[in-house]
Amino acid sequence: MSRFETKEAKVHYIFSRIAKRYDLMNTVLSFRQHKIWRTAVMKRMNVQPGTSAIDVCTGTGDWAIALAKAVGEDGRVVGLDFCEPMLEEAERKVVRQGVAKQVQMVHGNAMALPFDDNTFDYATIGFALRNVPDVEYVIGEMARVVKPGGMVVSLELSKPEWPLFRALYYFYFENILPRIGNLAAKDGVSYSWLPESLRSFPDRRGLEEIFQRAGLVRVESKPFTGGIAAMHLGYKPQP
């Protein structure tokens, strides 16, 4: 029997433990690719100055900071996370990056975003959709809080589509990455969660369908680095 009663409890435990190492381990384990992927997604989003955004499951705040720099001093960004140690790291980073004026860090749950309908121009979630209790519900919540015509965007690990590369990647992801991560985290749980979280997560086309079922239109996706990650983007319909 699992020591955790729910997926949510397990995820909270894991990210509370690794908060201080999260940025370094992401860079090491992804070979810095996660920064390249996010830069490409931001270019596609073409975030406009003076707009508003919410970064759901913001973690240590990297995407919220990138959004804040894009919206400028006249814009507004909310970074939301349910893990207090991760938010503490994010708040320190926001100050260091000089964007505290336009960024608000909020303790909250992706399954019940504490904002009214039609509040933001953009809603993003980065490398966290695998961790939520209900993927479709969270995408629906993100769609709810963006304005008509607003954009919902996910950047997430995915499943390579080329069979040989997929086999090589899964060997690294299942056998090597968790060992390196767990040594750094000093437990046998934190980075073993990575392959576990991906097994039941939909592939790129499956996540496209979830975006569409959430009522988003003009849905598109783009694989990165042979499909080990993918961007998904959709728009809230205009009335």
Side-chain angles (χ1 to χ4, degrees):
M1 184 177 177
S2 172
R3 61 191 279 193
F4 304 101
E5 292 184 2
T6 64
K7 178 180 180 179
E8 190 170 6
K10 185 172 186 176
V11 169
H12 190 280
Y13 167 85
I14 289 168
F15 285 95
S16 295
R17 280 190 59 86
I18 68 174
K20 293 187 180 299
R21 307 180 188 89
Y22 181 80
D23 289 341
L24 174 61
M25 294 306 297
N26 265 7
T27 299
V28 170
L29 295 173
S30 75
F31 304 101
R32 291 185 65 86
Q33 292 297 297
H34 68 107
K35 296 182 179 182
I36 295 171
W37 301 332
R38 187 172 59 249
T39 299
V41 174
M42 286 291 291
K43 183 177 180 180
R44 169 63 187 87
M45 289 174 66
N46 190 27
V47 175
Q48 296 300 300
T51 55
S52 59
I54 179 170
D55 185 38
V56 178
C57 303
T58 195
T60 58
D62 280 348
W63 205 346
I65 290 166
L67 289 163
K69 291 177 178 179
V71 303
E73 292 190 359
D74 294 329
R76 175 196 177 206
V77 175
V78 169
L80 177 140
D81 206 284
F82 83 142
C83 180
E84 298 90 334
M86 295 288 273
L87 278 177
E88 290 167 7
E89 293 296 314
E91 287 169 347
R92 284 191 280 269
K93 195 184 297 184
V94 162
V95 173
R96 289 199 303 269
Q97 291 289 322
V99 292
K101 177 181 176 181
Q102 60 263 46
V103 177
Q104 177 189 11
M105 289 294 168
V106 173
H107 182 241
N109 196 309
M111 295 285 288
L113 297 178
F115 298 97
D116 292 337
D117 298 358
N118 310 322
T119 298
F120 302 97
D121 297 295
Y122 308 91
T124 61
I125 184 166
F127 304 109
L129 202 51
R130 292 168 294 113
N131 300 327
V132 302
D134 187 322
V135 171
E136 193 159 347
Y137 194 89
V138 168
I139 295 298
E141 272 291 276
M142 293 171 69
R144 178 183 67 78
V145 300
V146 296
K147 302 171 184 176
M151 192 182 292
V152 174
V153 187
S154 166
L155 174 59
E156 184 55 272
L157 296 178
S158 193
K159 300 177 180 180
E161 296 168 12
W162 184 43
L164 179 58
F165 180 63
R166 183 169 62 237
L168 292 171
Y169 173 68
Y170 279 1
F171 178 81
Y172 167 74
F173 200 67
E174 295 271 355
N175 297 284
I176 298 173
L177 182 149
R179 293 184 183 184
I180 297 171
N182 285 335
L183 282 173
K186 297 182 174 61
D187 68 13
V189 176
S190 297
Y191 283 90
S192 296
W193 171 249
L194 273 171
E196 181 183 339
S197 67
L198 189 60
R199 288 185 197 116
S200 60
F201 192 71
D203 62 14
R204 181 167 65 93
R205 297 301 183 189
L207 192 51
E208 279 186 8
E209 293 174 4
I210 289 175
F211 267 58
Q212 291 163 353
R213 289 200 299 271
L216 298 168
V217 298
R218 294 158 51 201
V219 173
E220 61 185 80
S221 67
K222 179 179 180 179
F224 296 114
T225 316
I228 67 176
M231 174 199 77
H232 286 75
L233 184 154
Y235 296 84
K236 185 170 183 173
Q238 299 277 4

